[in-house]
């Protein structure tokens, strides 16, 4: 899900990249990454299914006088290469042409899907026909400060870093929405559920997680065939209903597991599982470890 494709026009110009720190969870993949190019060249960068934000870290950029040689433009647009700003944004499915000079710098690369972040699932994220050259040099003070704070969290994770990061990404996503999607009406994105429908659906699933097990019942509420409902839901959220419900339950479980006073069997029932065994199996499938192991890991990272 959180993928980016990098293709250098001249393979001999491929730079060197290294990751210094990384924070990954449902909905995001964030890295502090170093990059070095020993010769000038042009590459294509494609943000596939995720939004891509890049913050050039101030100290690293200031130490490299040639960083200003780096320029870019969106593919298919009749415009010249322009100088890139400290904060750059690529919507999902975007192809971006990147010209680099001889340079070395450090940056934070943030891949995230706002539709997966819990508070934003009911908002329409239709990036079609929204490309704006301002995305290559974001000047929002809020975004600048938020991205710098996010980089600090990734470089030195603290207590409940995943939850803290999700909160910061929620604010960042809303700021991007206001800048580039705020003037759109719900009819701009066809083949999707409406904002009101998604909100109602989230309220029902939060109140009764078992509702997520019956596509037919949910489709009946809006008087549409189950197959059409499933298609519209996936087009809107980017996940099947089953995947969405599973990820929502696991996110809620992670939050509850941070409170050591709450028993694991209580977490299983509060997140809609029939018994602790089915909860443990689902949690391990999504997270790669048992609920108890996750709780112990959180204690080790955030004593």
């Amino acid at each position: 899900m959180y993928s980016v494709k990098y293709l250098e026009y001249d393979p001999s110009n491929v730079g060197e990249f290294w990751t210094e720190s990384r924070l990954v969870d449902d909905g995001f993949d964030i890295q502090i990454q170093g990059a070095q190019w020993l010769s000038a060249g042009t590459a294509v960068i494609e943000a596939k299914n995720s939004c891509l934000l890049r913050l050039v870290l101030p100290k690293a950029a200031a130490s490299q006088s040639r960083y200003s040689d780096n320029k870019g433009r969106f593919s298919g647009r009749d415009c010249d290469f322009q100088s890139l700003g400290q904060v750059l944004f690529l919507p999902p499915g975007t192809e971006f042409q990147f010209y680099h000079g001889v340079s070395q710098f450090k940056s934070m690369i943030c891949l995230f899907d706002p539709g997966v972040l819990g508070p934003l699932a009911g908002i329409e994220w239709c990036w079609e026909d929204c490309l704006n050259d301002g995305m290559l040099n974001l000047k929002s003070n809020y975004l600048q400060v938020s991205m710098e704070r996010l980089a600090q969290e990734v470089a030195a994770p603290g207590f409940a870093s995943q939850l803290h990061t999700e909160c910061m990404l929620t604010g960042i996503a809303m700021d991007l929405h206001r800048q580039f999607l705020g003037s759109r009406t719900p009819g701009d994105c066809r083949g999707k559920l409406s904002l009101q429908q998604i909100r109602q659906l989230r309220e029902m699933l939060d109140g009764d997680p078992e509702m997520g097990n019956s596509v037919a019942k949910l489709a009946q509420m809006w008087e549409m065939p189950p197959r059409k409902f499933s298609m519209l839901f996936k087009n809107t959220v980017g996940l099947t209903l089953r995947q969405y419900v599973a990820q929502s339950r696991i996110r809620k479980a992670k939050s509850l597991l941070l409170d050591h006073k709450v028993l694991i069997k209580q977490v299983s029932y509060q997140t809609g599982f029939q018994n602790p065994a089915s909860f443990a199996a689902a949690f391990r499938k999504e997270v790669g470890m048992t609920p108890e192991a996750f709780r112990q890991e959180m204690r080790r990272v955030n004593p």
Side-chain angles (χ1 to χ4, degrees):
M1 180 181 292
Y2 318 117
S3 57
V4 58
K5 179 180 178 182
Y6 180 96
L7 177 64
E8 187 80 39
Y9 284 151
D10 182 353
S12 64
N13 292 333
V14 174
E16 297 181 9
F17 305 92
W18 59 94
T19 299
E20 298 188 358
S21 56
R22 186 180 186 184
L23 192 61
V24 183
D25 200 2
D26 298 331
F28 61 83
D29 183 349
I30 311 174
Q31 300 183 37
I32 303 296
Q33 186 182 88
Q36 180 179 21
W37 288 272
L38 299 179
S39 59
T42 304
V44 172
I45 298 175
E46 180 184 355
K48 294 188 176 179
N49 301 321
S50 304
C51 295
L52 184 151
L53 278 166
R54 186 191 71 173
L55 167 73
V56 178
L57 299 179
K59 292 182 179 179
S63 65
Q64 300 295 331
S65 59
R66 301 298 299 277
Y67 170 68
S68 60
D69 288 347
N70 294 337
K71 299 180 180 181
R73 67 182 179 187
F74 290 113
S75 299
R77 291 171 65 86
D78 186 17
C79 59
D80 296 330
F81 281 86
Q82 68 179 68
S83 297
L84 303 177
Q86 188 175 354
V87 181
L88 171 149
F89 170 59
L90 304 182
T94 301
E95 188 177 271
F96 169 71
Q97 295 179 339
F98 173 56
Y99 170 78
H100 57 82
V102 177
S103 58
Q104 177 179 346
F105 58 92
K106 187 186 299 184
S107 61
M108 178 180 69
I109 306 297
C110 175
L111 296 169
F112 73 104
D113 182 353
V116 176
L117 300 176
L120 304 180
I123 297 176
E124 292 185 349
W125 299 95
C126 182
W127 298 103
E128 296 178 7
D129 302 321
C130 72
L131 290 187
N132 186 311
D133 289 340
M135 294 176 174
L136 305 183
N137 185 9
L138 295 177
K139 296 183 180 297
S140 165
N141 290 331
Y142 176 84
L143 273 177
Q144 180 81 26
V145 173
S146 298
M147 291 287 288
E148 291 175 357
R149 179 65 189 90
L150 189 59
Q152 294 172 6
E153 188 69 29
V154 176
F159 174 72
S161 283
Q162 283 85 354
L163 294 177
H164 192 192
T165 298
E166 182 172 330
C167 290
M168 286 190 285
L169 283 175
T170 298
I172 289 171
M174 288 308 302
D175 196 68
L176 291 171
H177 192 284
R178 290 192 185 102
Q179 286 194 56
F180 303 113
L181 302 178
S183 61
R184 291 193 168 196
T185 62
D188 287 336
C189 292
R190 299 180 179 179
K192 296 186 178 183
L193 295 173
S194 69
L195 177 59
Q196 183 179 5
Q197 287 173 325
I198 287 293
R199 284 176 175 169
Q200 291 175 346
L201 182 60
R202 286 188 59 217
E203 290 175 359
M204 286 189 293
L205 294 177
D206 289 343
D208 183 9
E210 292 298 323
M211 286 289 291
N213 296 327
S214 177
V215 174
K217 288 183 179 180
L218 293 172
Q220 187 176 12
M221 296 188 64
W222 286 286
E223 299 180 347
M224 65 176 71
R227 185 174 181 179
K228 180 179 179 181
F229 173 79
S230 298
M231 179 191 69
L232 295 178
F233 183 87
K234 188 172 182 180
N235 288 346
T236 307
V237 180
L239 301 169
T240 65
L241 181 63
R242 184 182 296 274
Q243 291 171 330
Y244 176 79
V245 171
Q247 290 189 7
S248 296
R249 288 177 175 179
I250 297 304
R251 280 198 299 271
K252 183 177 180 180
K254 285 181 177 180
S255 179
L256 292 172
L257 287 169
L258 295 176
D259 185 349
H260 306 303
K261 297 179 182 179
V262 181
L263 300 177
I264 290 180
K265 66 178 181 180
Q266 293 176 311
V267 175
S268 68
Y269 295 131
Q270 290 182 38
T271 49
F273 290 91
Q274 294 182 353
N275 54 67
S278 61
F279 165 60
F283 191 93
R284 185 165 188 169
K285 181 179 179 181
E286 289 290 328
V287 183
M289 64 179 71
T290 64
E292 180 61 33
F294 175 81
R295 174 170 276 177
Q296 293 176 358
E297 179 67 14
M298 290 299 99
R299 282 179 176 174
R300 184 186 67 80
V301 176
N302 306 299

